[in-house]
Amino acid sequence: MKKIIIKTTVISLIIILIAISLFFGSVAIFKPSIMGNIALNSGNEKVCVKYTEKQYIKSGDVQDLTLLAERSIWAKDYVRAEKYITKLILNDNFYLIESTKESGYKNYLASSLVEALYLNGKSEKALQTALNYYDGVSVPNTMRVIIYLFS
């Protein structure tokens, strides 16, 4: 009798583990944004960025691109930050995103891009990017980043 109970318990646990694995596997494939949010809420920014990237590749939506660029910055994933901030700033619909954000959003992205370029070993491109976003009136964050990085 004891063997039957143990055997049934082990089989039940295996079935439950398989069901959980199938659930999370299918969510990861069909809804990577949910897995990205789970990873973010659990404090795993690198995994969050990977799932957010999968969601963007799947949808191609500018909202997903914005989220991916922001999460890449937060996770300090400078390779992805460089790639996706550049894509976002050059996107035809960027003005729509910028209008929904607080003022200085483009400056925030530009300074993050400059930092990512510099940390990816592209200091000349970082300097050129900072100069491209300098309007000659004020010293924006991009210039502060350059002054900090090159001093």
Side-chain angles (χ1 to χ4, degrees):
M1 185 68 152
K2 203 173 190 180
K3 274 186 169 181
I4 293 174
I5 293 173
I6 292 173
K7 187 177 179 182
T8 305
T9 304
V10 169
I11 290 172
S12 297
L13 288 174
I14 290 172
I15 290 172
I16 290 170
L17 288 174
I18 290 172
I20 290 171
S21 297
L22 287 173
F23 172 75
F24 281 108
S26 60
V27 169
I29 292 170
F30 298 112
K31 281 292 198 180
S33 61
I34 293 173
M35 291 301 290
N37 290 334
I38 290 171
L40 182 65
N41 291 333
S42 67
N44 198 340
E45 290 92 2
K46 298 280 186 192
V47 173
C48 171
V49 170
K50 288 179 185 177
Y51 280 114
T52 306
E53 182 178 40
K54 287 181 183 188
Q55 177 63 30
Y56 168 66
I57 290 169
K58 183 179 176 184
S59 73
D61 185 43
V62 71
Q63 297 282 26
D64 291 331
L65 176 59
T66 304
L67 193 58
L68 176 54
E70 291 172 354
R71 287 180 174 176
S72 297
I73 295 166
W74 297 334
K76 299 185 185 329
D77 186 341
Y78 299 112
V79 173
R80 283 188 177 95
E82 175 188 343
K83 178 179 179 181
Y84 292 113
I85 293 170
T86 303
K87 250 185 178 178
L88 179 60
I89 290 174
L90 296 176
N91 189 293
D92 293 336
N93 295 323
F94 179 69
Y95 71 94
L96 296 172
I97 295 298
E98 192 176 17
S99 67
T100 64
K101 302 288 184 175
E102 59 188 61
S103 69
Y105 183 68
K106 189 172 187 177
N107 192 13
Y108 163 69
L109 289 177
S111 61
S112 297
L113 177 59
V114 168
E115 181 183 15
L117 287 165
Y118 179 79
L119 293 172
N120 287 336
K122 301 174 183 175
S123 55
E124 291 295 319
K125 191 171 181 182
L127 180 59
Q128 188 59 47
T129 302
L131 294 173
N132 287 344
Y133 287 101
Y134 179 57
D135 60 6
V137 178
S138 61
V139 179
N141 288 339
T142 52
M143 292 308 288
R144 289 188 187 111
V145 168
I146 283 295
I147 292 167
Y148 169 76
L149 293 175
F150 286 95
S151 61

